[in-house]
Amino acid sequence: MGTDTKSYQIGVIRGDGIGPEIIAEALKVLDKAAKIYGFTLQYTELCLGGSSIDRYGVPLTEETIEKAKQCDAVLMGSIGGDPKTSPWYQLEPSKRPEAGLLGIRKALGLFANLRFSKLYDDLMDSCPLKESIAREGIDFVILRELTGGLYFGAHKTWTKDGEDMASDELLYSDHEIRRIAVKAFDAAMLRGKKMTLVDKANVLDSSRLWRKVVQDVAKDYPEVEVDYMYVDNASMQLVRRPSQFDVVLTENMFGDILSDEASMVTGSIGMQPSASLAEGSFGLYEPSHGSAPDIAGKDLANPLATILSAAMMLRYSLGQEEAALAIEKAVEEVLKTYRTADLVSDRDDVEQVGCSKMGTLVADALG
Ligand code: NAD
């Protein structure tokens, strides 16, 4: 008998520290979602970071890259150890765990980084903003260009007339802007259909090119409302009225700064999923936080950022929107009653649970 069940190959990087614990919970939830929504997930284990150093002597191997390329998407826990005590940090920088992460991003052509900031109603008390602002709702994503701009332009230091000088080049091509603009508009179509380009077009030629290309791409997305905002204003608006944002698109350095600011407005490091996308539908999905070596192996980690990253993977790489939505709803439901230690509040109507129980609760809430 024929079957049209869709099957996907998922690369799984369990990583270091709390990585294996949070990934186990995300897989628990993914397996349940696959069963309910009628698709199949097959997992390819990939080794990266500290665990790869222990096993192969290097943080990233060719084998990992080749296997990752065969997958539809990659789900990653976090990598790295405690820089003060871990022997991985006795190695030269190019051999440390983080070099593996930079290496795999490059090898897989991941040029767009998405960081999602959402404040759940039941976590209102963890938001550092005034309640009147938080209650307007916070739910936006920042798309940061990852492989161009100031960080990748020519860096020069020289001396002129006895004085030290330095310069850094901010370079973008039409192609680099266009491919991430398409990702941003696609993301807006899956969300609130609003896109804000953040730039400094009153001063920078590169920003003016961003505007021109974005205006051009916008013609293919007539349903999306487009807004343009200078970066200095955007950094203020993110804390003044974050409810106005849906999809924020920006270049590398502005995105670096704004996405850290954005991670604070929801107040909780264990809740923020992220994605790095390549051309086509391939992406690498991971929580925004690190490997938290201080709580590793203690069943204390919050697995929700990883579970929500898995939901993003279903949405952006696998096109399983219904299953993604169901996971997000399940997380919202569970947070009404249960919290991991990092989210504990003064409320006496919530129960503290460990990492493993939290994963089970979300999987159970799915159906
Ligand atoms: P971190 O995010 O790991 O931890 C900061 C604090 O937040 C710690 O107190 C930790 O216990 C807590 N925390 C983090 N995630 C949590 C979770 N899911 N649940 C509960 N509490 C959580 O940052 P750090 O301590 O600066 O870095 C530790 C290691 O992680 C370093 O080796 C660093 O290089 C690495 N790192 C990796 C990534 C990545 O894999 N993408 C990102 C950032 C840091």
Side-chain angles (χ1 to χ4, degrees), residues 4 12 16 21 39 59 62 65 73 111-112 171 178 190-191 194-195 203 213 217 219 235 244 267 271 276 301 347 364:
D4 59 359
V12 176
D16 310 315
E21 298 166 60
F39 55 90
E62 275 306 316
I65 293 172
F111 62 84
L171 182 70
R178 195 168 293 272
L190 288 170
R191 296 174 48 95
K194 181 168 181 208
M195 213 278 284
V203 183
V213 175
V217 176
K219 290 177 194 151
S235 73
Q244 69 190 285
M271 294 297 301
S276 300
R347 280 173 43 183
D364 289 349

Side-chain angles (χ1 to χ4, degrees), residues 33-85:
K35 211 167 168 187
I36 296 173
Y37 291 94
F39 55 90
T40 312
L41 297 174
Q42 282 167 343
Y43 302 117
T44 304
E45 296 283 341
L46 304 171
C47 203
L48 184 84
S51 53
S52 177
I53 297 174
D54 290 347
R55 215 156 142 192
Y56 304 110
V58 287
L60 172 65
T61 61
E62 275 306 316
E63 189 192 348
T64 290
I65 293 172
E66 284 317 308
K67 280 185 174 171
K69 283 183 176 167
Q70 306 304 315
C71 296
D72 295 299
V74 174
L75 182 66
M76 188 177 102
S78 14
I79 57 144
D82 181 344
K84 287 195 208 104
T85 56

Side-chain angles (χ1 to χ4, degrees), residues 81-90 293:
D82 181 344
K84 287 195 208 104
T85 56
S86 164
W88 300 327
Y89 296 88
Q90 308 296 321

Side-chain angles (χ1 to χ4, degrees), residues 5-260:
T5 303
K6 283 209 163 151
S7 178
Y8 305 100
Q9 198 68 40
I10 307 299
V12 176
I13 300 170
R14 292 182 192 264
D16 310 315
I18 58 171
E21 298 166 60
I22 54 182
I23 283 287
E25 301 318 307
L27 298 188
K28 210 185 254 178
V29 174
L30 275 176
D31 285 339
K32 184 76 181 284
K35 211 167 168 187
I36 296 173
Y37 291 94
F39 55 90
T40 312
L41 297 174
Q42 282 167 343
Y43 302 117
T44 304
E45 296 283 341
L46 304 171
C47 203
L48 184 84
S51 53
S52 177
I53 297 174
D54 290 347
R55 215 156 142 192
Y56 304 110
V58 287
L60 172 65
T61 61
E62 275 306 316
E63 189 192 348
T64 290
I65 293 172
E66 284 317 308
K67 280 185 174 171
K69 283 183 176 167
Q70 306 304 315
C71 296
D72 295 299
V74 174
L75 182 66
M76 188 177 102
S78 14
I79 57 144
D82 181 344
K84 287 195 208 104
T85 56
S86 164
W88 300 327
Y89 296 88
Q90 308 296 321
L91 302 166
E92 63 177 83
S94 66
K95 297 195 170 138
R96 292 179 191 169
E98 289 71 17
L101 190 52
L102 292 180
I104 199 162
R105 281 185 180 147
K106 191 162 176 229
L108 298 178
L110 304 170
F111 62 84
N113 181 250
L114 285 73
R115 279 224 210 161
F116 303 87
S117 292
K118 177 173 163 119
L119 179 63
Y120 289 84
D121 283 350
D122 280 275
L123 295 182
M124 205 61 80
D125 48 332
S126 64
C127 176
L129 302 180
K130 275 203 295 203
E131 199 182 326
S132 58
I133 296 174
R135 288 232 170 263
E136 287 177 8
I138 302 177
D139 186 0
F140 62 87
V141 51
I142 294 188
L143 268 95
R144 166 189 170 194
E145 202 288 327
L146 263 192
T147 56
L150 206 53
Y151 299 167
F152 290 87
H155 306 294
K156 275 196 296 189
T157 304
W158 71 98
T159 306
K160 188 181 170 198
D161 301 332
E163 188 180 12
D164 288 341
M165 318 276 284
S167 75
D168 302 282
E169 184 183 37
L170 202 178
L171 182 70
Y172 272 110
S173 68
D174 181 305
H175 162 73
E176 285 174 304
I177 301 167
R178 195 168 293 272
R179 63 183 182 175
I180 192 169
V182 168
K183 295 276 183 204
F185 280 104
D186 285 347
M189 288 299 289
L190 288 170
R191 296 174 48 95
K193 299 197 170 90
K194 181 168 181 208
M195 213 278 284
T196 307
L197 174 67
V198 169
D199 61 29
K200 193 74 184 164
N202 49 342
V203 183
L204 300 176
D205 272 21
S206 55
S207 286
R208 287 192 273 272
L209 181 61
W210 273 79
R211 281 203 186 194
K212 183 168 164 255
V213 175
V214 164
Q215 277 161 2
D216 194 32
V217 176
K219 290 177 194 151
D220 295 333
Y221 298 86
E223 286 175 63
V224 178
E225 182 195 337
V226 188
D227 192 15
Y228 301 89
M229 195 179 276
Y230 297 142
V231 63
D232 38 353
N233 184 25
S235 73
M236 188 256 280
Q237 296 296 340
L238 274 176
V239 290
R240 182 174 169 265
R241 202 163 62 82
S243 63
Q244 69 190 285
F245 295 112
D246 176 24
V247 173
V248 176
L249 169 65
T250 192
E251 61 94 53
N252 199 344
M253 184 180 66
F254 296 160
D256 190 9
I257 298 166
L258 292 182
S259 58
D260 263 28

Side-chain angles (χ1 to χ4, degrees), residues 18 76 78-81 89 98 101 269-270 286 289-295 301-302 342:
I18 58 171
M76 188 177 102
S78 14
I79 57 144
Y89 296 88
E98 289 71 17
L101 190 52
I269 195 158
E286 58 177 316
H289 59 73
S291 61
D294 52 334
I295 56 167
N302 180 354
D342 56 310

